[in-house]
């Protein structure tokens, strides 16, 4: 399974959005594999991580985000579960879709969804597997939006941004970076 072939089913290869998505996904895949190397003793599935990291944001075209050229109908927070739907419909193993659904923020709890009336299915969307956590963490280091898409964020900045969303998100992220031995 080639992630670029899957992406190109939804994004024309010569489009700006394809380039933004693929560039971001490659950075996330590279960081994810680096994190996996930090926790070799936990035996993360590197092949799965590389492919799933490339596909984690496949649903963005169905959402609205002017900064990156997404002109879909749904709010951007929906891109995770919409990506899961796309991959499930293609018949990929469910683990790929779960990475899409669970990577947003530092995962979104059912309680967060209900309390904030988020326009997503009312279910737990928090990373569970080691591989989901690794990809979720790696994703936080890279923006898709110019002008910030060419440099990695610091761990401190990520935690600060997550605290603005919800302290639970920040705490989960801090727990994972501690578990993975990530230091700035």
């Amino acid at each position: 399974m080639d992630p670029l072939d899957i992406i190109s089913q939804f994004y024309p290869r010569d489009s700006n959005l394809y380039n933004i998505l693929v560039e971001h996904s490659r950075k996330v895949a590279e960081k994810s594999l680096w994190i996996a190397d930090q926790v070799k003793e936990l035996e993360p599935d590197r092949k799965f991580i590389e492919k799933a990291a490339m596909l984690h944001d496949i649903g963005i075209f169905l959402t609205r985000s002017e900064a990156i050229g997404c002109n879909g109908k749904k709010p951007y927070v929906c891109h995770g579960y919409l990506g899961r739907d796309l991959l499930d419909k293609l018949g990929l193993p469910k683990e790929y879709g779960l990475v899409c659904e669970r990577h947003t923020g530092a995962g979104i709890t059912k309680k967060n969804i209900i309390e904030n009336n988020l326009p997503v299915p009312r279910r737990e969307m928090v990373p569970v597997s080691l591989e989901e956590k690794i990809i979720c963490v790696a994703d936080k280091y890279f923006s898709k939006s110019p002008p910030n898409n060419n440099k990695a964020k610091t761990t401190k900045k990520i935690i600060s941004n997550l605290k603005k969303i919800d302290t639970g998100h920040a705490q989960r992220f801090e727990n994972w970076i501690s578990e993975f031995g990530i230091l700035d």
Side-chain angles (χ1 to χ4, degrees), residues 85-178:
D85 290 348
L86 290 173
L87 298 184
D88 287 352
K89 287 176 185 168
L90 289 176
L92 268 68
K94 70 176 183 173
E95 292 79 12
Y96 288 94
L98 290 174
V99 167
C100 293
E101 181 170 283
R102 294 175 176 169
H103 84 277
T104 306
I108 307 172
T109 65
K110 185 176 180 180
K111 183 180 177 193
N112 290 148
I113 293 166
I114 292 168
E115 287 178 352
N116 296 293
N117 198 29
L118 297 177
V120 299
R122 293 176 182 253
R123 60 184 178 235
E124 290 293 321
M125 295 187 189
V126 176
V128 175
S129 73
L130 173 62
E131 292 79 7
E132 289 169 358
K133 292 173 187 176
I134 288 172
I135 294 167
C136 182
V137 166
D139 180 53
K140 300 305 154 280
Y141 285 90
F142 304 102
S143 172
K144 287 179 283 301
S145 301
N148 301 315
N149 57 334
N150 288 319
K151 72 178 205 179
K153 296 177 196 160
T154 66
T155 301
K156 184 177 178 180
K157 180 68 173 169
I158 295 166
I159 293 168
S160 173
N161 289 343
L162 288 171
K163 282 180 181 176
K164 293 174 191 172
I165 297 169
D166 182 272
T167 57
H169 287 255
Q171 187 60 59
R172 272 192 300 281
F173 182 82
E174 288 183 271
N175 291 344
W176 294 334
I177 61 169
S178 176

Side-chain angles (χ1 to χ4, degrees), residues 13-27:
R13 285 189 187 248
D14 61 350
S15 70
N16 190 46
L17 191 53
Y18 174 90
N19 291 329
I20 288 170
L21 173 62
V22 170
E23 181 181 328
H24 169 75
S25 298
R26 283 187 173 139
K27 289 176 185 173

